[in-house]
Amino acid sequence: MKITLLYDNTLFKEGLHTDWGFACLIEVENIPPILFDTGANGSILLSNMRELSIAPAVIQEVFISHNHWDHIGGLPAFLEVNKDVTVYIPASCPQLLGAKNIISVSDPVQIHENIFSTGELRDMEQSMAIRTDKGIVVIAGCSHPGVGTILESASRFGKVYALIGGLHGFCDFDLLKDIDQVCPTHCTQHIEKIRSLYPEKYIDGGAGKVIEL
């Protein structure tokens, strides 16, 4: 599988734009690419996609982690160029104008073979869990329900191998001991601390970063 960071606070690939927010493209064999979150600004999202040669038309599904502007703000502009996508939203998220196909998620659910939602955790946010040969890869938007809560929910699908995304307020670093790879992005306050504690499993983030697992 391949995860491309499309929108992040920091820069990995020259020529892209940075901004406060998060979005990534998830590519798993035999499944059309899935857009996870949309960042804050649709112009930046679409510009970064063009720079990375990613056509919006290839995306059939959008997975929204939670209803905060820095994760959902780019969606209206994306829907203007691809109206036919299915959008997965947590149950607490208002219905989205411009989206034709909306699936509201409350409980853990299988989206595709080996791709799951944790369900909406603590009435605020869902994360994605992807089953691979190495274990479960967890993609988180901001981790508002708590990293421990997310990992516990994702572990129902298998042993967690990797954690990628925003880890807002996270400081319980022992939770990362049994994870093989971690890529803290966006709203993570203690990125340098995570890097220093776990240099062997740390992955740099930033707009344009491609992670293959």
Side-chain angles (χ1 to χ4, degrees):
M1 66 170 296
K2 181 168 76 170
I3 298 167
T4 303
L5 303 188
L6 305 177
Y7 205 112
D8 201 0
N9 310 355
T10 60
L11 185 68
F12 182 81
K13 180 180 174 63
E14 291 297 327
L16 302 185
H17 298 284
T18 61
D19 188 37
W20 183 264
F22 184 73
C24 67
L25 188 73
I26 298 167
E27 297 176 86
V28 178
E29 189 175 7
N30 299 322
I31 296 171
I34 300 171
L35 178 61
F36 182 106
D37 285 346
T38 62
N41 183 297
S43 295
I44 292 175
L45 174 67
L46 294 174
S47 173
N48 284 353
M49 290 178 70
R50 284 193 300 271
E51 188 68 26
L52 293 167
S53 300
I54 297 169
V58 305
I59 296 168
Q60 296 182 12
E61 294 170 320
V62 179
F63 184 100
I64 297 296
S65 64
H66 62 300
N67 185 37
H68 283 179
W69 62 273
D70 49 340
H71 295 259
I72 204 169
L75 184 59
F78 180 83
L79 292 174
E80 287 181 7
V81 297
N82 185 348
K83 293 181 171 63
D84 296 324
V85 292
T86 296
V87 184
Y88 292 86
I89 60 173
S92 63
C93 184
Q95 294 295 304
L96 305 170
L97 294 176
K100 290 183 179 180
N101 307 306
I102 300 173
I103 297 176
S104 182
V105 178
S106 296
D107 301 318
V109 64
Q110 181 172 330
I111 297 172
H112 292 285
E113 183 178 4
N114 296 322
I115 300 181
F116 309 87
S117 167
T118 60
E120 186 178 45
L121 302 175
R122 298 189 178 175
D123 299 321
M124 63 177 80
E125 185 173 343
Q126 63 174 337
S127 296
M128 184 180 287
I130 304 166
R131 184 182 290 135
T132 73
D133 291 340
K134 297 177 181 178
I136 298 295
V137 177
V138 178
I139 316 294
C142 272
S143 302
H144 291 299
V147 171
T149 299
I150 293 169
L151 295 178
E152 181 180 3
S153 180
S155 67
R156 77 179 64 213
F157 307 116
K159 183 182 184 301
V160 175
Y161 170 77
L163 174 63
I164 298 167
L167 310 179
H168 182 79
F170 173 67
C171 58
D172 190 0
F173 304 115
D174 283 350
L175 288 174
L176 303 178
K177 279 184 177 179
D178 296 326
I179 296 176
D180 293 271
Q181 303 287 323
V182 59
C183 178
T185 67
H186 176 40
C187 56
T188 309
Q189 288 98 330
H190 303 296
I191 288 178
E192 291 306 319
K193 181 69 171 179
I194 294 170
R195 187 206 302 263
S196 66
L197 286 173
Y198 300 105
E200 74 287 353
K201 60 184 68 177
Y202 174 86
I203 301 172
D204 273 319
K209 175 73 174 186
V210 176
I211 303 167
E212 298 191 62
L213 297 167

Coordinates of all heavy atoms in Angstrom, one line a residue, residues 26-34 58-61 110-116 130-131:
I26 N -4.8 7.4 -0.1 CA -4.5 6.0 0.3 C -4.7 5.1 -0.9 O -5.8 5.1 -1.5 CB -5.4 5.6 1.4 CG1 -5.2 6.5 2.7 CG2 -5.2 4.1 1.8 CD1 -6.2 6.4 3.7
E27 N -3.7 4.4 -1.3 CA -3.7 3.5 -2.4 C -3.4 2.1 -2.0 O -2.3 1.8 -1.5 CB -2.7 3.9 -3.5 CG -3.0 5.3 -4.1 CD -2.0 5.8 -5.1 OE1 -2.1 5.4 -6.2 OE2 -1.1 6.5 -4.6
V28 N -4.4 1.2 -2.2 CA -4.3 -0.2 -1.8 C -4.6 -1.0 -3.1 O -5.5 -0.6 -3.8 CB -5.3 -0.5 -0.7 CG1 -5.2 -2.0 -0.3 CG2 -5.0 0.3 0.6
E29 N -3.9 -2.1 -3.3 CA -4.1 -2.9 -4.5 C -5.5 -3.3 -4.7 O -6.2 -3.7 -3.7 CB -3.2 -4.1 -4.4 CG -3.1 -4.9 -5.7 CD -2.1 -6.1 -5.6 OE1 -1.6 -6.3 -4.5 OE2 -1.9 -6.7 -6.6
N30 N -6.0 -3.2 -5.9 CA -7.3 -3.6 -6.4 C -8.4 -2.7 -5.8 O -9.6 -3.1 -6.0 CB -7.6 -5.0 -6.0 CG -6.6 -6.0 -6.6 OD1 -6.2 -5.8 -7.8 ND2 -6.2 -7.0 -5.9
I31 N -8.1 -1.6 -5.2 CA -9.2 -0.6 -4.7 C -8.9 0.8 -5.2 O -7.7 1.2 -5.2 CB -9.2 -0.6 -3.2 CG1 -9.6 -2.0 -2.6 CG2 -10.1 0.4 -2.6 CD1 -9.4 -2.2 -1.1
P32 N -9.8 1.5 -5.8 CA -9.6 2.8 -6.2 C -9.0 3.7 -5.1 O -9.4 3.5 -3.9 CB -11.0 3.3 -6.7 CG -11.7 2.1 -7.0 CD -11.2 1.1 -6.0
P33 N -8.2 4.7 -5.4 CA -7.6 5.5 -4.4 C -8.7 6.2 -3.5 O -9.7 6.6 -4.0 CB -6.8 6.6 -5.2 CG -6.5 5.9 -6.5 CD -7.7 5.0 -6.7
I34 N -8.4 6.3 -2.2 CA -9.3 6.9 -1.3 C -8.7 8.2 -0.7 O -7.5 8.2 -0.3 CB -9.6 6.0 -0.1 CG1 -10.3 4.7 -0.6 CG2 -10.5 6.7 0.9 CD1 -10.4 3.6 0.5
V58 N -9.8 10.0 -10.4 CA -9.5 8.6 -10.1 C -10.0 8.3 -8.7 O -10.1 7.1 -8.3 CB -8.0 8.4 -10.2 CG1 -7.5 8.7 -11.5 CG2 -7.2 9.1 -9.0
I59 N -10.4 9.3 -7.9 CA -10.9 9.1 -6.5 C -12.4 8.8 -6.5 O -13.1 9.6 -7.0 CB -10.5 10.3 -5.7 CG1 -9.0 10.4 -5.6 CG2 -11.1 10.1 -4.3 CD1 -8.5 11.7 -5.0
Q60 N -12.8 7.7 -5.9 CA -14.2 7.4 -5.9 C -14.8 7.5 -4.4 O -16.0 7.5 -4.3 CB -14.4 5.9 -6.3 CG -14.1 5.7 -7.8 CD -14.3 4.3 -8.3 OE1 -15.0 3.5 -7.6 NE2 -13.8 4.0 -9.5
E61 N -13.9 7.6 -3.5 CA -14.3 7.7 -2.1 C -13.5 8.8 -1.3 O -12.3 8.9 -1.5 CB -14.3 6.4 -1.4 CG -15.2 5.4 -2.0 CD -14.9 4.0 -1.5 OE1 -13.8 3.6 -1.3 OE2 -15.9 3.2 -1.2
Q110 N -16.7 -2.2 7.9 CA -15.8 -2.6 6.9 C -16.2 -1.8 5.6 O -17.3 -1.8 5.2 CB -15.8 -4.1 6.6 CG -14.9 -4.5 5.4 CD -14.7 -6.0 5.3 OE1 -14.9 -6.7 6.3 NE2 -14.5 -6.5 4.1
I111 N -15.2 -1.1 5.1 CA -15.4 -0.2 3.9 C -15.1 -1.0 2.6 O -15.9 -1.0 1.6 CB -14.6 1.0 3.9 CG1 -15.1 1.9 5.1 CG2 -14.7 1.9 2.6 CD1 -14.2 3.1 5.4
H112 N -14.0 -1.7 2.6 CA -13.6 -2.6 1.6 C -12.9 -3.8 2.2 O -12.7 -3.8 3.5 CB -12.6 -2.0 0.6 CG -13.1 -0.9 -0.2 ND1 -13.9 -1.1 -1.3 CD2 -13.0 0.5 -0.1 CE1 -14.3 0.1 -1.8 NE2 -13.7 1.0 -1.1
E113 N -12.6 -4.8 1.5 CA -11.8 -5.9 2.0 C -10.5 -5.3 2.6 O -9.8 -4.6 1.9 CB -11.5 -6.9 0.9 CG -10.7 -8.1 1.5 CD -10.4 -9.2 0.4 OE1 -10.8 -8.9 -0.8 OE2 -9.9 -10.2 0.8
N114 N -10.3 -5.5 3.9 CA -9.1 -5.1 4.6 C -9.0 -3.6 4.9 O -8.0 -3.1 5.3 CB -7.8 -5.5 3.8 CG -7.6 -7.0 3.7 OD1 -8.0 -7.7 4.7 ND2 -7.2 -7.5 2.6
I115 N -10.1 -2.9 4.6 CA -10.1 -1.4 5.0 C -11.4 -1.2 5.9 O -12.5 -1.5 5.5 CB -10.2 -0.6 3.7 CG1 -9.0 -0.8 2.9 CG2 -10.3 0.9 4.1 CD1 -8.9 0.1 1.6
F116 N -11.1 -0.6 7.0 CA -12.2 -0.4 8.0 C -12.2 1.0 8.6 O -11.2 1.7 8.6 CB -11.9 -1.4 9.2 CG -11.7 -2.8 8.8 CD1 -10.4 -3.2 8.5 CD2 -12.8 -3.7 8.7 CE1 -10.2 -4.6 8.1 CE2 -12.5 -5.0 8.4 CZ -11.3 -5.4 8.1
I130 N -6.3 -0.2 8.1 CA -6.0 -0.9 6.9 C -5.2 -2.2 7.2 O -4.1 -2.1 7.8 CB -5.3 -0.1 5.9 CG1 -6.0 1.2 5.6 CG2 -5.0 -0.8 4.6 CD1 -5.2 2.3 4.9
R131 N -5.7 -3.3 6.9 CA -5.0 -4.6 7.2 C -4.0 -4.9 6.1 O -4.4 -4.9 4.9 CB -6.0 -5.7 7.3 CG -5.4 -7.0 7.8 CD -6.4 -8.1 7.8 NE -7.3 -8.0 9.0 CZ -8.6 -8.1 8.9 NH1 -9.2 -8.4 7.7 NH2 -9.4 -8.0 10.0

